[in-house]
Amino acid sequence: MSEFTPTYVPSRRPARVVECQELTDGVVRLALRDSYIARHAKPAQFVNLYTKNAQRLSPRPFGVCEVDGDVFTLMFAVVGKGTEEFRHLRPGDTVDVLGPLGHGFNLREDADYLLVGGGLGVPPLIRAAQELSGHEGSTSTVLFGYRNVHFADAYASRYATQLQSIDESEGNVITLLDRWAAQHSVAADADGALRPAAQGRRTVILTCGPLGMMKAVSAWAREHGLAVQASLEARMGCGFGTCVVCTVHTTRGILKTCVDGPVFDTAQLEGWEAAR
């Protein structure tokens, strides 16, 4: 189960742009002022952004990256006409938003969290690291994989207990997980989960990124007896359960990524058994 079950979401409304900057070629960080989203967005929840073009009916969903006062930030890749429009927003402009939507990571347990992300799957994990930085009984180790430029490290390092990142010239996130396992002494408890011997806390993996990467992380976790919460990325027509585009097959039947997720325990996801 997720940590947050939304009971009320305000209607679509304009949010004012605070900042819009290009972090690297085609990757944009956008800061928007909306007090409700900034106060209520939990890690892995997302917001819908709407373009000014009335012919583009479907919104674009983006995971919340950080919150600060009444401002929240997003981080996204420019991949089409909608995101190209958002790329050119400037301070003082407005853009229509809806959210926060979906169910976030379950962070209630005091644990050592491994935040494993790839590419533009990193924003929900930065938000998770931010949330966990206020949890006295938990730690967060960020493991990020990039194609080349390490564009998100500076933001995640504000909150993470530890951070390691890698690009394709060195390996991938499984390389980082193997390094982590080699560096930590672990012991199995009564329920079979592995716990670092020094702290006695359980280790939980949170992951978001390309599907193949998340399946590989899930397979690695099974080999090491660790639980995984995955924030799934999916094409969404609406973002709130009406269009039934973003379905996912689970042990509980066919569910909707936008309202039943985007976070799922990978043990519930069918077809994730392939070895890495």
Side-chain angles (χ1 to χ4, degrees):
M1 295 294 291
S2 64
E3 181 176 50
F4 180 73
T5 302
T7 56
Y8 166 77
V9 175
S11 300
R12 170 178 168 177
R13 58 210 179 271
R16 193 161 299 278
V17 176
V18 175
E19 184 180 14
C20 186
Q21 64 176 136
E22 195 151 342
L23 300 179
T24 185
D25 186 29
V27 177
V28 174
R29 181 175 181 269
L30 176 65
L32 300 169
R33 178 166 282 113
D34 183 280
S35 59
Y36 187 88
I37 291 174
R39 286 199 313 270
H40 293 90
K42 300 300 181 183
Q45 285 195 291
F46 64 95
V47 299
N48 279 347
L49 262 59
Y50 297 81
T51 77
K52 302 290 186 183
N53 188 330
Q55 293 184 325
R56 296 187 190 123
L57 300 179
S58 296
R60 274 61 178 173
F62 300 111
V64 174
C65 185
E66 293 177 273
V67 298
D68 183 12
D70 62 353
V71 173
F72 70 95
T73 65
L74 309 173
M75 198 179 287
F76 60 87
V78 178
V79 295
K81 293 181 178 179
T83 46
E84 179 66 31
E85 178 182 317
F86 301 144
R87 174 192 220 164
H88 297 289
L89 291 168
R90 293 295 176 261
D93 293 343
T94 61
V95 58
D96 277 7
V97 300
L98 178 67
L101 302 169
H103 295 270
F105 291 121
N106 181 354
L107 305 179
R108 289 191 296 264
E109 178 183 3
D110 286 346
D112 294 314
Y113 290 90
L114 296 180
L115 282 52
V116 185
L120 267 298
V122 302
L125 299 172
I126 295 174
R127 180 72 188 95
Q130 182 181 29
E131 184 81 5
L132 288 168
S133 67
H135 292 200
E136 186 175 337
S138 296
T139 65
S140 63
T141 298
V142 168
L143 305 177
F144 282 171
Y146 301 95
R147 181 171 298 173
N148 40 50
V149 180
H150 297 221
F151 57 82
D153 283 6
Y155 301 98
S157 63
R158 297 172 178 175
Y159 314 110
T161 309
Q162 299 180 57
L163 182 146
Q164 299 179 43
S165 62
I166 198 168
D167 58 52
E168 290 181 350
S169 67
E170 304 172 275
N172 54 38
V173 294
I174 301 302
T175 309
L176 295 179
L177 284 167
D178 287 339
R179 290 177 186 172
W180 176 88
Q183 293 167 358
H184 290 76
S185 175
V186 295
D189 62 13
D191 60 11
L194 296 181
R195 302 176 188 271
Q199 294 87 7
R201 289 187 296 259
R202 198 163 73 105
T203 299
V204 177
I205 295 179
L206 313 178
T207 189
C208 186
L211 182 61
M213 183 214 79
M214 289 194 292
K215 286 189 175 183
V217 170
S218 179
W220 186 95
R222 281 198 305 276
E223 294 173 6
H224 292 78
L226 302 181
V228 182
Q229 299 176 40
S231 180
L232 303 188
E233 297 180 337
R235 289 189 177 274
M236 297 180 187
C238 66
F240 41 81
T242 300
C243 68
V244 199
V245 170
C246 61
T247 54
V248 58
H249 290 264
T250 78
T251 55
R252 295 189 290 133
I254 299 175
L255 301 178
K256 301 171 186 177
T257 300
C258 64
V259 293
D260 298 307
V263 174
F264 294 91
D265 185 323
T266 57
Q268 299 177 330
L269 297 174
E270 294 185 357
W272 283 54
E273 297 81 10
R276 61 184 172 102

